[in-house]
Amino acid sequence: MKKTATALACSLLTACATQPALTDLTVNSGVARNADQLALDFDKADLQLRVDPASRSIRGDALLTFGTRAPLERIDLDLDRNLPIDAIEVDGQPLPAARWRNPEGRLAIDLPRRLEPGKQVTIRVRYHGQPHVAKKAPWDGGFVWSTTPDGQPWVASAVEGEGCDLFWPCIDHPMGKPKLVDEHITVPAPLVAAGNGVAMGVTDADGWRTWHWRAKNPSTYGVSINVGPYKLLEGSYVSRFGNTIPLRMWYLPQSEKGARELFAEFPQMLDFFESTIGPYPFGDEKMGVVETPHKGMEHQTINAYGNGYAKTPYGYDDLLQHEFAHEWFGNQLTNADWDDMWLHEGLGSYMQPLYMQSLRGDQEYFAALLQQRAAIRNKAPIVSGKPRREEDVYVIERGGPGQDIYNKGSLVMHTLRGLIGDDAFFRTVREAVYGSADPRPGNFTPRYGTTPEFMAIARRVSGRDLDWFFQAYLYQAGLPELQATRSGDTLQLAWKTEKNTPFPMPVEVRVGQRVVSLPMTDGRGSVAIGKGESWTLDPHSKLLRRELRFERYQQYMDEQKKKKAAK
């Protein structure tokens, strides 16, 4: 989901009650794991969550199973300190309150006996409270307590930025995924709780209804709460890979017309991704979408959708398509660190132009790319090469690339595709996503990826040295500039990068009616231009490069915003 740089004012859809401030540890997802957390294998989370819309509170009972690769005296988890702990058990035995502490949002639990490698321990944490309320979900994290048009409870979680620790004890780091999660979501009957993975059953007791869901390898912020008086659309999709994928959409009764139209887009989107990238990663669970009181979020197998069933000139729901892309770029391929977040957002954003090219040809492909190109800011590199927290990436004021991980990331992929060709490009992406050049349902599992790994795959698959390419586009803020100087009947071209690194990017020039390809091996080239002949750089729009027209446009738009704000 796209993020903004600053927290916005309270939405009409959310509660604005004053809450204790989140600690820095809680508000920043991806804080470096300590040695104890690095040693843990997170085998299973069994979460029982009672969601009470009337009091806007939750009551949690989390049973967490861990293994370890090193001897441990302590288990460190992440949990918002504003959710008071009622009790903790270790392997079924109550733990004295003196043996746990949570002053800043890192819950330290002293084990009664040392955990040795090859052994497991089960930690049970019971807690309660009012989870942090999102002021403007999903752009800042927390719960959304809302009501439907007819006044019924409508509740959702959206915690990408701040992390899973806003409502359950977890390891709030991209690499903190549990292998298996059971979700038991209890809500007032007859409300529905749509969850991750596979539906395991529903039980009723004393006016409350518990929905049981089971998901494998869910991303940490992808575990979600979605509660409302939902209706359900069901279907199935026969994959080109031979398996049948359940299709599910939970919608408000007032939205039936729009929901049915959106549901009709599911097979087309699935076919595009499977034909372009590879098998849907969670075909044995479902392709799921749930209508939410916030804009949207890529929750694994239960994508949050709040786009209002909007129509665009492109003829498809671009927000749903973007969030669905994250099933491949985010949930199947997960960034090992927030510094690698462009792997989620850049590749996910490139799927929109590719979708248009697949459905309707080059005109709409380039139209979508132009829209993205106009938004690139180049304030910071999209990769720093060092560990980062979520806000360090999304907030420009903190030195992050902000929206460039989406727009610039997409244009970088477009340029890479033009450089190495379709076959090498899509093989590179496929191997990065699945860890295999020939993925088939059942022969791959979700994996972690890094920028250096993606670079290495591209080099190997293409058989070309591409370090200069990635150095210029990923690790430098400014775009390469193509300098053109005409002297008599010769046009001289030279590349200039921000850090004066080599950049032997080939360039096409249209001279009159012919197109000349210049290898630019040393970053320079020239082409003869006859008297009266016109010339055009990069006539087929293959290259992401610095162009002053975009900078002037952005400056103008910024000035217009300031004038509007002043009024």
Side-chain angles (χ1 to χ4, degrees), residues 162-312:
E162 288 75 2
C164 48
D165 53 337
L166 286 188
F167 71 98
W168 65 282
C170 60
I171 298 174
D172 184 18
H173 188 278
M175 295 188 72
K177 288 185 183 185
K179 297 181 180 70
L180 183 70
V181 171
D182 274 302
E183 303 167 3
H184 306 268
I185 313 300
T186 301
V187 297
L191 294 178
V192 176
N196 304 90
V198 177
M200 304 299 291
V202 185
T203 58
D204 286 273
D206 303 322
W208 292 79
R209 181 166 291 174
T210 300
W211 299 77
H212 181 192
W213 296 92
R214 177 171 293 165
K216 292 177 290 186
N217 300 290
S219 59
T220 52
Y221 68 81
V223 175
S224 65
I225 302 295
N226 308 280
V227 177
Y230 291 123
K231 300 294 185 181
L232 176 62
L233 291 172
E234 297 182 85
S236 61
Y237 167 80
V238 179
S239 167
R240 63 180 55 231
F241 293 98
N243 57 320
T244 298
I245 301 169
L247 307 179
R248 302 289 186 269
M249 180 170 182
W250 288 264
Y251 65 96
L252 298 183
Q254 298 86 348
S255 306
E256 182 169 356
K257 181 178 182 296
R260 289 190 179 278
E261 291 176 354
L262 189 65
F263 190 68
E265 293 188 41
F266 287 15
Q268 183 174 269
M269 287 187 184
L270 261 168
D271 188 62
F272 162 74
F273 281 105
E274 290 207 321
S275 62
T276 304
I277 307 301
Y280 176 56
F282 309 103
D284 57 346
E285 296 184 7
K286 67 177 182 297
M287 175 188 175
V289 176
V290 58
E291 187 174 359
T292 56
H294 63 83
K295 192 74 170 175
M297 182 61 66
E298 62 267 23
H299 299 143
Q300 190 163 310
T301 71
I302 187 68
N303 278 283
Y305 174 84
N307 202 31
Y309 307 99
K311 305 301 183 214
T312 75

Side-chain angles (χ1 to χ4, degrees), residues 208-499:
W208 292 79
R209 181 166 291 174
T210 300
W211 299 77
H212 181 192
W213 296 92
R214 177 171 293 165
K216 292 177 290 186
N217 300 290
S219 59
T220 52
Y221 68 81
V223 175
S224 65
I225 302 295
N226 308 280
V227 177
Y230 291 123
K231 300 294 185 181
L232 176 62
L233 291 172
E234 297 182 85
S236 61
Y237 167 80
V238 179
S239 167
R240 63 180 55 231
F241 293 98
N243 57 320
T244 298
I245 301 169
L247 307 179
R248 302 289 186 269
M249 180 170 182
W250 288 264
Y251 65 96
L252 298 183
Q254 298 86 348
S255 306
E256 182 169 356
K257 181 178 182 296
R260 289 190 179 278
E261 291 176 354
L262 189 65
F263 190 68
E265 293 188 41
F266 287 15
Q268 183 174 269
M269 287 187 184
L270 261 168
D271 188 62
F272 162 74
F273 281 105
E274 290 207 321
S275 62
T276 304
I277 307 301
Y280 176 56
F282 309 103
D284 57 346
E285 296 184 7
K286 67 177 182 297
M287 175 188 175
V289 176
V290 58
E291 187 174 359
T292 56
H294 63 83
K295 192 74 170 175
M297 182 61 66
E298 62 267 23
H299 299 143
Q300 190 163 310
T301 71
I302 187 68
N303 278 283
Y305 174 84
N307 202 31
Y309 307 99
K311 305 301 183 214
T312 75
Y314 291 99
Y316 77 108
D317 197 296
D318 56 347
L319 184 133
L320 176 60
Q321 203 265 7
H322 178 84
E323 304 305 347
F324 187 48
H326 285 307
E327 298 284 25
W328 285 261
F329 312 106
N331 298 331
Q332 167 61 29
L333 168 66
T334 301
N335 54 337
D337 187 272
W338 283 104
D339 194 45
D340 304 303
M341 191 60 178
W342 77 274
L343 291 170
H344 293 205
E345 302 297 2
L347 282 161
S349 295
Y350 188 46
M351 293 303 109
Q352 281 83 72
L354 279 178
Y355 193 41
M356 291 296 89
Q357 188 172 43
S358 171
L359 293 181
R360 285 188 280 278
D362 289 349
Q363 178 181 3
E364 294 189 28
Y365 171 76
F366 284 108
L369 283 175
L370 178 62
Q371 189 175 32
Q372 293 175 343
R373 175 62 185 89
I376 297 174
R377 291 285 178 164
N378 301 308
K379 299 294 185 182
I382 59 177
V383 181
S384 71
K386 60 185 179 182
R388 282 188 167 187
R389 302 177 301 180
E390 189 267 355
E391 293 297 318
D392 299 329
V393 174
Y394 278 101
V395 180
I396 291 178
E397 292 83 355
R398 293 177 63 163
Q403 297 295 297
D404 278 2
I405 61 174
Y406 299 81
N407 302 306
K408 188 173 181 178
S410 175
L411 269 294
V412 170
M413 291 300 95
H414 164 71
T415 305
L416 178 64
R417 178 188 174 194
L419 177 65
I420 66 177
D422 279 10
D423 181 67
F425 175 76
F426 288 108
R427 283 179 58 200
T428 295
V429 174
R430 192 169 298 115
E431 285 199 33
V433 169
Y434 300 99
S436 167
D438 186 29
R440 291 289 184 271
N443 77 350
F444 62 87
T445 56
R447 63 186 305 274
Y448 295 106
T450 67
T451 301
E453 181 200 52
F454 185 89
M455 294 164 56
I457 295 172
R459 284 195 303 268
R460 174 173 50 78
V461 169
S462 68
R464 302 175 65 166
D465 172 21
L466 296 171
D467 286 352
W468 58 270
F469 177 93
F470 292 112
Q471 178 60 225
Y473 282 123
L474 299 183
Y475 292 93
Q476 297 179 31
L479 290 174
E481 184 176 358
L482 183 57
Q483 299 174 330
T485 306
R486 181 171 182 174
S487 178
D489 60 358
T490 302
L491 181 68
Q492 300 285 349
L493 300 180
W495 282 111
K496 179 177 174 54
T497 60
E498 181 183 64
K499 296 182 179 179

